[in-house]
Amino acid sequence: MSELRPWHLSLVWSLALGHWHLAHAGDWPQILGPDRNGIAQDEDLADAWPADGPPVAWEREVGSGYAGVAVAEGKLVLFHRLRDTEFVAVLDAATGDDVWQQGYPTTFNPQVGGEDGPLCVPTIVGDRVVTFGAEGMLSCWNLATGDLHWQHATHEEYGAQEGYFGAGSSPIVEGNKVIVNVGGFRSTAGIVAFDLETGVEAWRCIDDHASYSAPQAVTIGDTRHLLAVTRLNCVSLDPETGGVRFEFPFGGRGPTVNGATPVVIGDHLFLTASYGIGAVYGTIGETAFKSEWASDILSSQYTTPIEVDGLLYGMDGRQDGGPTSLVCIDPAAQQLLWQEEGFGYGTLIWADGKLIILGTDGRLHLANVSREGAEVVANTEVLTGTARALPALANGLLYVRDETTLKCVDLK
């Protein structure tokens, strides 16, 4: 599996990228961690917790939004809304102390639900921070100083709609390009790439609405694929040019959501969604996707399953109603190995051979999992509100938030 992940953290970006580089091991610089797969690197965690739970290193009040934090080189990026402003704040990751804060006005009001803050996890690359706000405001900031390098009001510029909850697909940086699921369905701007340094549009492609699924990138053989799930399709793009390598339907019209990030297992692709959509598994070819099966074996509303040794651990069901369970499937065999209820709905991180489960009810679980089953070795309440924001794990510190509070929990 490792040779097929996105470029390793220790690699320097290509000459076209110049001084830009990925964060170091132990960081959590973007959605789902260093490789966008929910797997933390080089972590050494405690095997159990005290009776009253792991210690809280620090906590602070935050504004609205479901955007998880990003962490790199000792800095934490918080993206939230206070009153009529979306703020990007950089904190000291170890202490929670303020480093800088910048903001811009917003009038966003969601079609569904009452949470009016940003949804997308910031992306840190070198000395740049990219944020994508609920109204589609794409911004690039200087990580050290907070200076604004460039900004695009993408919904206005490309005629995109806000969707049920606002823009929710966290951008990806490939080479020197920021690639965003914008949703400009009338202007061949479903997905748009911008130059990381200048903000100038590099390319645009496809006519489709945006989803809440973050893009993923992978090299299969000699071919680099940018995999993105839109409102109704999954596409593979050439990240340099925006050329479409392949495209196939995934999703459903009406009140449905594609929220989970594509999962790559060797040369195979796994997609999952709830709302009657289910899962798809198949082979990634250079110019085609070959489906091997489609079923409801794992139907996740927005949690991205985690692949370990060819098995997938995921959350089946929906946070907003219906039965939910933690499941383990063997995708190659299309086999459900086990399912465990009692966690509610939640999000997942794999670290140090352990599965960390943050339930939307604010409870944190530590479990040993294998193809034989799951053994919970510790659990505690870390938040009192609803925890929909994705957690982040960096250097043994777990960052979790609900509607009002951000906490740093020491799992070392």
Side-chain angles (χ1 to χ4, degrees), residues 132 155 160-161 163 167-169 181-185 190 208-213 229-232 258:
F132 192 38
H155 286 177
Q161 296 178 352
S169 177
N181 193 343
V182 169
F185 62 101
D208 201 355
H209 296 267
S211 74
Y212 296 88
S213 169
V229 176
T230 63
R231 180 75 173 88
L232 296 172
N258 287 333

Side-chain angles (χ1 to χ4, degrees), residues 62-151:
V62 295
S64 62
Y66 295 138
V69 303
V71 183
E73 299 184 359
K75 294 183 174 66
L76 177 150
V77 183
L78 168 66
F79 192 26
H80 62 154
R81 176 175 176 172
L82 295 169
R83 294 176 294 280
D84 58 356
T85 303
E86 282 189 337
F87 282 104
V88 180
V90 167
L91 317 177
D92 183 299
T95 65
D97 293 338
D98 295 307
V99 177
W100 59 259
Q101 178 173 271
Q102 296 283 13
Y104 52 84
T106 180
T107 59
F108 173 71
N109 188 36
Q111 296 179 26
V112 178
E115 194 69 7
D116 59 5
L119 303 167
C120 295
V121 177
T123 301
I124 304 172
V125 180
D127 62 358
R128 299 286 173 103
V129 178
V130 177
T131 59
F132 192 38
E135 281 185 301
M137 185 65 77
L138 180 68
S139 309
C140 181
W141 315 85
N142 186 285
L143 178 63
T145 66
D147 292 339
L148 178 63
H149 290 292
W150 52 264
Q151 195 168 60

Side-chain angles (χ1 to χ4, degrees), residues 388-404:
R388 292 191 182 95
L390 295 177
L393 179 66
N395 302 302
L397 299 176
L398 183 73
Y399 302 91
V400 296
R401 65 166 289 190
D402 56 22
E403 303 96 328
T404 61

Side-chain angles (χ1 to χ4, degrees), residues 74 84 109-110 114 121 124 132 182 184 234 239 244 284 303 309 321 327-328 392 409:
D84 58 356
N109 188 36
V121 177
I124 304 172
F132 192 38
V182 169
C234 177
V244 178
I284 302 171
T303 298
D309 297 331
V327 303
C328 173
V409 182

